[in-house]
Amino acid sequence: MKRIFSLFYFIGSMLFMKAQGPLNKANSESTITSGYSLYTNVGDVEMTKKSISMDVFKTYATGTLLFGVGLEYWNRRFNDIGENRLFGSFEDSYSIGLTSTYTQKCNGNWSVGLSFTPQLNATLKRELGSDDMILAGNIQIGKEWDSSISNGKAKMAFGLYYDILFGEPQLFPFVSYSNMINQSWDYTIGFPLSSLRYSLNEYHDFDILIYPEGNYTNTSEGISINGTDTILNSKLEFKTLVIRMDYNSIIDDYWAVSFGISYLPNTELRILDTNDTEIYSFGSTESLCINFGVKYKLN
């Protein structure tokens, strides 16, 4: 039986559509995935994230095509009364994304992948505008070869991403090397993700992951701080480093569940103006995150 629970940003970072990104071990199964995350005390702000996404694969002799759609809902509770009055427009926000990815097989077990992932990140309190949209995407090159250990496969990948993994949208490189230690252990070393996995058997495994996570949300409502001019289309930026442990369990041929806890050593939550200049910071502090996920295999 194939392992149907692959890593999911994310990673956030994923937005929810990062199922084919550097933070995940992609497979060729069409799935519906839902997730829930609870963040505690992010600069005196409590946050929850709920997500659902669907990925549909089509495999050809020379490549693989993926279409996906996802929705992410963020809720933030500002414990400080003054911050709640100023930034209440950011209490609820939404991320809606589409993704299309094509991976082409090449000679010598090389592959080239190209992905386009437009995203809508907004509070949806007023009409939508260009500030609510992010045109993300990536290009990556991979190489697979047989590993002398456990008759498994080793893989190297590298490329460029444009995304909100580090908060405000930016271009960043990634590189990774994955291999098996033996039948029970495998690892990935790279940037921005490194991981270690232990498989108890084909139904149960444990993951340790280290990766960045970010979110970048626009609000069209005006914000006025200290009685100064009203700022339109301000942004709420969240970014952190995640150290995470997951337990993954395959229930049957179609269902899988995941439970995890993450340590966030240094979270940043701040308000930016239309030029991405900081106008307010909620402070940096360590935090914990509790994660739960369910995946259903469509094929």
Side-chain angles (χ1 to χ4, degrees):
M1 179 188 301
K2 289 186 177 180
R3 180 175 181 259
I4 67 172
F5 214 103
S6 58
L7 308 178
F8 62 91
Y9 57 140
F10 60 233
I11 59 266
S13 124
M14 177 178 134
L15 234 45
F16 32 75
M17 296 318 303
K18 288 188 171 57
Q20 293 305 296
L23 303 187
N24 301 273
K25 300 173 182 177
N27 55 36
S28 58
E29 295 169 335
S30 298
T31 59
I32 297 175
T33 302
S34 63
Y36 175 82
S37 300
L38 170 65
Y39 302 79
T40 63
N41 299 323
V42 178
D44 201 33
V45 180
E46 295 183 4
M47 303 193 307
T48 60
K49 178 178 64 175
K50 302 173 184 177
S51 64
I52 185 168
S53 62
M54 181 174 68
D55 294 334
V56 178
F57 284 84
K58 180 66 175 178
T59 301
Y60 302 93
T62 59
T64 302
L65 184 64
L66 162 72
F67 291 103
V69 61
L71 170 66
E72 201 171 71
Y73 165 65
W74 289 78
N75 174 260
R76 305 169 184 89
R77 187 172 72 180
F78 300 95
N79 295 321
D80 183 272
I81 296 177
E83 291 177 347
N84 182 67
R85 177 178 56 82
L86 287 172
F87 309 116
S89 59
F90 282 112
E91 183 178 11
D92 299 303
S93 67
Y94 304 85
S95 295
I96 303 170
L98 301 173
T99 187
S100 57
T101 300
Y102 182 72
T103 302
Q104 174 70 46
K105 297 178 182 178
C106 303
N107 294 333
N109 289 329
W110 287 90
S111 64
V112 178
L114 182 64
S115 181
F116 178 59
T117 56
Q119 306 168 6
L120 169 69
N121 294 332
T123 59
L124 300 184
K125 294 184 181 297
R126 294 187 178 181
E127 65 277 3
L128 298 177
S130 59
D131 290 284
D132 299 311
M133 297 296 301
I134 299 173
L135 300 179
N138 67 76
I139 182 171
Q140 57 179 298
I141 299 173
K143 165 71 174 178
E144 283 191 3
W145 59 91
D146 292 332
S147 171
S148 60
I149 303 176
S150 304
N151 296 318
K153 290 283 187 181
K155 183 173 183 179
M156 176 185 66
F158 58 92
L160 289 174
Y161 267 64
Y162 183 78
D163 213 325
I164 59 172
L165 190 62
F166 296 92
E168 64 181 272
Q170 59 184 282
L171 184 69
F172 59 91
F174 81 90
V175 61
S176 69
Y177 173 78
S178 302
N179 203 349
M180 298 178 65
I181 300 175
N182 52 43
Q183 292 288 355
S184 299
W185 294 88
D186 65 74
Y187 65 89
T188 296
I189 297 176
F191 175 85
L193 167 79
S194 293
S195 67
L196 177 67
R197 180 169 66 93
Y198 171 70
S199 297
L200 187 61
N201 51 48
E202 63 177 321
Y203 300 101
H204 306 278
D205 64 56
F206 300 87
D207 289 314
I208 298 175
L209 308 97
I210 301 176
Y211 60 91
E213 180 180 13
N215 184 256
Y216 183 81
T217 298
N218 180 68
T219 181
S220 55
E221 292 191 335
I223 291 179
S224 180
I225 300 177
N226 298 325
T228 59
D229 294 337
T230 299
I231 301 173
L232 300 177
N233 292 312
S234 59
K235 312 295 189 296
L236 180 68
E237 180 193 50
F238 168 66
K239 57 183 177 180
T240 187
L241 176 68
V242 178
I243 303 173
R244 174 170 169 172
M245 175 177 286
D246 281 349
Y247 163 67
N248 308 308
S249 176
I250 294 177
I251 299 175
D252 56 28
D253 289 347
Y254 296 96
W255 292 94
V257 296
S258 177
F259 303 90
I261 185 168
S262 304
Y263 172 61
L264 285 54
N266 185 31
T267 63
E268 289 188 37
L269 189 66
R270 56 183 189 155
I271 305 293
L272 311 176
D273 64 15
T274 54
N275 298 315
D276 289 327
T277 301
E278 180 183 308
I279 57 176
Y280 189 87
S281 174
F282 294 89
S284 298
T285 182
E286 62 182 2
S287 178
L288 294 176
C289 180
I290 301 171
N291 313 285
F292 171 73
V294 177
K295 178 173 284 190
Y296 177 73
K297 184 173 69 170
L298 296 173
N299 60 347

